[in-house]
Amino acid sequence: MQKYKEILLHKQATIKKALEVIDKGAMRIAIVLDDNERVVGTLTDGDIRRGLLHGLTLDSSIEDLYFKEPTLATINDSKELIVQKAIRKQIYQIPIIDNDGKLVKIEDLANLLKTNAKKNHVILMAGGLGTRLRPLTHDVPKPLLKVGNKPILETIIENFAKYGFVNITISVNYKADMIKEHFGDGSALGVNIDYIQETQRLGTAGALSLIKDRPQEPFFVMNADLLTNVNFEHLLDFHSFEHSVATMCVREYDYQVPYGVIQTDGSRITAIEEKPVHKFFVNAGIYVLSPQVFEYIPKEEFYDMPTLFEDIIKDDLKTISFPIHEYWLDIGRMSDFEQAQTEYGEIF
């Protein structure tokens, strides 16, 4: 983030200041912010030159110069969508903003078109019994059930690899040998896979205690029965930008009360709301954790991820949520499995 701070510019800055910022940043662009640090525009060297040709001076404000309808992407946009925007608009850099309109990073088209391997590890939880999907899981562990002619877990691994996250650890238990035999060391998928073996139920966080070589950088933890096209790179950037200890992906869930809800004051009815809809954020089963979380995880005891977050919050350390607006499906029931089969081709 530090190098992006070098190209930030207030909307009332002078042309002289803008030239200094653009020259120092070496990215051929400045990002213009308002009083609340929201991105409101972009400014290039060409914009400034045109202003000077029309009689402005170095002490003039950039207010009438900067482009007020910039091409932006959000932390929820996929890599493919960002590339499409850049090519369509014929631009080399796209500011990435969070849900409040604040700058998180700047994507460079050249970097988007190549994938560099990253150190950050990915821990995939694949040890569940899949009881709600029986009889499908009698002979096959749920992560190996095929959706779109390939196992669910294979789609997950390919999606991480697409963003350069190639160091994969799979936590296994139920029918572990089948998973190990299918994926091996990961070389067939262009990734590096190792395994941790659960001999008892340890929960989504407790299994992390089995890791021998603990990650030194922020790392992902994800359930191995999810299908999503979330931008994992932006998720990691958001975690780091916010200096978070633990980040949880959340999904909006709507629940409609099937009855008219009555509000009362004593015995007096004050209002009637017919079948109201309540909105909640629910845990999406995808996390980014900083290495210090290992201080909280007990050795080989059941310990789930919500408890980890609760303990971190008790110590007044920073935990944040990352709302998922992209495709996301938890394949926990037979109806979810059937839905995935229908949607897979369109989404992936």
Side-chain angles (χ1 to χ4, degrees), residues 129-131 133-141 145 174-175 178:
L129 299 176
T131 54
L133 282 175
R134 289 179 179 168
L136 295 180
T137 53
H138 272 312
D139 301 316
V140 179
L145 291 177
Y174 179 65
K175 297 190 180 297
M178 294 184 68

Side-chain angles (χ1 to χ4, degrees), residues 171-187:
S171 178
V172 294
N173 186 354
Y174 179 65
K175 297 190 180 297
D177 289 341
M178 294 184 68
I179 294 176
K180 292 179 180 179
E181 182 179 351
H182 182 88
F183 292 104
D185 63 2
S187 56

